[in-house]
Amino acid sequence: MSRTMLFCGLVAIGFANGISGSVFSAVTEGGLLSAALNTFDVSVFVWLALVAGLLLVGRSPAIGASRGDWALVSLVFIAMLLPVPALSWLAYTILALSLLVRSTSGSALRRGAAILIAVSIPMFWARVAMSLFNDAILAADATLAAWAVGSERNGNLVPFADGSGAMWIAPGCSSFTNISLVILAFVGLVNVTSGRWSSSKLGLAVLTCALVVLINITRISLIGYYPGQFELIHGQVGADVAGWLTALLIVVVGFFAVRRDAITLG
């Protein structure tokens, strides 16, 4: 068996085990059909990037697996067998990094491995960063929201504009998750096209990050201005509107960034 196909299979297993918790929760709460229609609470950008990454790696020249490869595979497979999603994501990342460091610049293998690594950012590493730097990240969102509302934050607490109460900026309200999706989307788009970065592409990626933060802060600020509409803005309707605007923004700006590059999945 070739090293690339062996690693691809294990990457897919690691991904499946890593999202098992999200899939179980989605199916339990809404049923299989509803969960499938909502892509099992996993972003469409993640699914598309995973497929693109696996296609690029799978279409790279076949190289036989060495003893070192089998030793690595044995270790990560053991980690994937344990019912701990975090271990699966660690094993997934190690496999993708192994493919990356053994590839040549500009090759399909290098580009596919880069995308696979980027998949782990919103799915795992962004959450790790949130757990480590939770206070600082949420304080940044709270500061921006307080500026927009015209109030003075107290930690993660942002008073309403009319002084009738306050709202707590929770981890689920952070802009950080959307920023990680922008990173994934741009890494994916660049690597399924030319595989070459430029200052303009990086600039557009940074701009997109700023704009998705603006969308999220606008939603939070609207709650601050209209606390009586909390359920509408913070609930499913508000979440759907913000989500679709964010996705549309990422697609449009991303397409503009790589519009002159041809798609090459191989």
Side-chain angles (χ1 to χ4, degrees), residues 130 132-140 156:
M130 278 293 296
L132 293 174
F133 308 106
N134 182 70
D135 291 342
I137 292 171
L138 294 181
N156 298 339

Side-chain angles (χ1 to χ4, degrees), residues 104-119:
T104 57
S105 179
S107 66
L109 181 59
R110 170 69 60 91
R111 291 155 50 210
I115 295 174
L116 292 177
I117 292 171
V119 166

Side-chain angles (χ1 to χ4, degrees), residues 33-76:
L33 179 59
S34 175
L37 291 174
N38 287 288
T39 62
F40 300 102
D41 290 336
V42 176
S43 172
V44 173
F45 292 119
V46 171
W47 289 109
L48 292 175
L50 177 70
V51 172
L54 290 175
L55 283 175
L56 281 166
V57 172
R59 293 183 182 182
S60 60
I63 301 174
S66 65
R67 291 183 179 178
D69 292 328
W70 284 107
L72 176 61
V73 164
S74 299
L75 289 174
V76 299

Side-chain angles (χ1 to χ4, degrees), residues 59-100:
R59 293 183 182 182
S60 60
I63 301 174
S66 65
R67 291 183 179 178
D69 292 328
W70 284 107
L72 176 61
V73 164
S74 299
L75 289 174
V76 299
F77 188 64
I78 291 172
M80 290 176 181
L81 287 177
L82 299 175
V84 183
L87 283 178
S88 284
W89 282 118
L90 284 172
Y92 171 104
T93 305
I94 290 170
L95 286 171
L97 281 171
S98 178
L99 289 171
L100 183 73

Side-chain angles (χ1 to χ4, degrees), residues 36-253:
L37 291 174
N38 287 288
T39 62
F40 300 102
D41 290 336
V42 176
S43 172
V44 173
F45 292 119
V46 171
W47 289 109
L48 292 175
L50 177 70
V51 172
L54 290 175
L55 283 175
L56 281 166
V57 172
R59 293 183 182 182
S60 60
I63 301 174
S66 65
R67 291 183 179 178
D69 292 328
W70 284 107
L72 176 61
V73 164
S74 299
L75 289 174
V76 299
F77 188 64
I78 291 172
M80 290 176 181
L81 287 177
L82 299 175
V84 183
L87 283 178
S88 284
W89 282 118
L90 284 172
Y92 171 104
T93 305
I94 290 170
L95 286 171
L97 281 171
S98 178
L99 289 171
L100 183 73
V101 298
R102 300 184 190 188
S103 62
T104 57
S105 179
S107 66
L109 181 59
R110 170 69 60 91
R111 291 155 50 210
I115 295 174
L116 292 177
I117 292 171
V119 166
S120 69
I121 295 175
M123 298 303 298
F124 179 65
W125 293 110
R127 298 175 187 181
V128 172
M130 278 293 296
S131 65
L132 293 174
F133 308 106
N134 182 70
D135 291 342
I137 292 171
L138 294 181
D141 281 310
T143 298
L144 292 173
W147 284 348
V149 173
S151 58
E152 188 72 25
R153 77 173 178 89
N154 180 15
N156 298 339
L157 200 65
V158 179
F160 295 142
D162 60 7
S164 62
M167 56 183 165
W168 177 262
I169 308 298
C173 301
S174 174
S175 304
F176 196 65
T177 300
N178 289 338
I179 291 175
S180 67
L181 287 176
V182 173
I183 295 172
L184 169 61
F186 271 79
V187 170
L189 285 169
V190 169
N191 282 287
V192 298
T193 53
S194 66
R196 296 187 299 272
W197 287 92
S198 64
S199 58
S200 62
K201 291 174 184 175
L202 287 171
L204 287 171
V206 172
L207 173 63
T208 307
C209 287
L211 291 176
V212 299
V213 170
L214 177 62
I215 290 173
N216 189 55
I217 295 302
T218 298
R219 181 186 174 205
I220 295 173
S221 301
L222 286 173
I223 297 173
Y225 276 111
Y226 307 104
Q229 302 298 320
F230 176 84
E231 292 299 329
L232 175 66
I233 301 170
H234 187 267
Q236 192 61 50
V237 173
D240 287 345
V241 171
W244 279 106
L245 283 175
T246 298
L248 181 62
L249 174 67
I250 293 173
V251 170
V252 170
V253 180

